[in-house]
Amino acid sequence: MTFEFPAKGDRGPVTLHWYSGTERIPRPPELEPERSDIEIGAAVIGDKGTITYGSHGASGARLIPETKMKAYKRPEKTLPRVKEHHQDWLNAIRAGRKAGSDFSYGGPLTELALLGIMSTKMGGMKLEWDAAKMKFMNCPQANRHLNPPYRSGWKL
């Protein structure tokens, strides 16, 4: 799947290619020949280099090739680190604070995943999503799936 995000503030446009199931992440050209292909996780390819990382919390994040990683100076850690999201959520409830991945982060991430599922459901059609209006601008058929009626006996 391909997601296209328009420029926002000082950030230019972003294109995200999502590979899942039988589709494999293409091998970045900067990845050293002796390194294994990316089996799980991501490759973030920018105009100044490539970062690879594993799944669930971007474990093992590194610049490639290794020469760039060795030359990189890590910044001081200023954000709190979360090792286990479920426990962080429970601790946030007990302490009356926001969780590390509260709805302001998790909501848009889930929305992105669901948009990809909807595109698959629509046969891979290019869908134009208006997040503010919470609807597809070019596919009334997809909009019919957004708020299905509750089953008899259930309500919100």
Side-chain angles (χ1 to χ4, degrees):
M1 284 172 237
T2 300
F3 296 88
E4 296 172 348
F5 302 94
K8 182 179 180 181
D10 291 338
R11 176 188 52 77
V14 173
T15 300
L16 169 68
H17 300 282
W18 185 280
Y19 299 89
S20 187
T22 59
E23 296 293 322
R24 299 184 46 87
I25 298 170
R27 184 179 178 88
E30 304 91 345
L31 192 59
E32 298 90 339
E34 66 275 10
R35 299 244 182 212
S36 300
D37 287 350
I38 301 168
E39 298 290 330
I40 188 169
V44 179
I45 302 170
D47 56 2
K48 296 180 183 175
T50 299
I51 299 171
T52 63
Y53 58 86
S55 183
H56 299 87
S59 62
R62 60 186 281 281
L63 293 164
I64 58 172
E66 190 64 27
T67 53
K68 284 192 175 185
M69 188 68 205
K70 287 180 179 176
Y72 178 69
K73 181 180 177 337
R74 291 181 181 263
E76 291 292 321
K77 290 182 180 181
T78 58
L79 299 173
R81 300 304 195 245
V82 173
K83 290 185 181 178
E84 208 284 312
H85 290 283
H86 181 255
Q87 191 61 52
D88 177 63
W89 178 70
L90 292 172
N91 291 341
I93 293 168
R94 292 181 185 119
R97 63 167 174 81
K98 283 176 58 171
S101 289
D102 71 334
F103 192 76
S104 69
Y105 175 85
L109 181 61
T110 302
E111 181 178 16
L112 179 70
L114 293 174
L115 290 171
I117 291 168
M118 186 61 76
S119 175
T120 301
K121 190 173 188 76
M122 295 292 108
M125 175 183 186
K126 181 176 181 174
L127 298 174
E128 296 172 13
W129 177 246
D130 185 324
K133 293 180 180 176
M134 296 291 288
K135 72 179 203 174
F136 295 99
M137 302 309 293
N138 67 329
C139 188
Q141 183 183 359
N143 285 325
R144 289 194 283 273
H145 295 286
L146 295 178
N147 292 302
Y150 292 107
R151 291 181 288 158
S152 178
W154 295 89
K155 64 181 180 176
L156 185 62

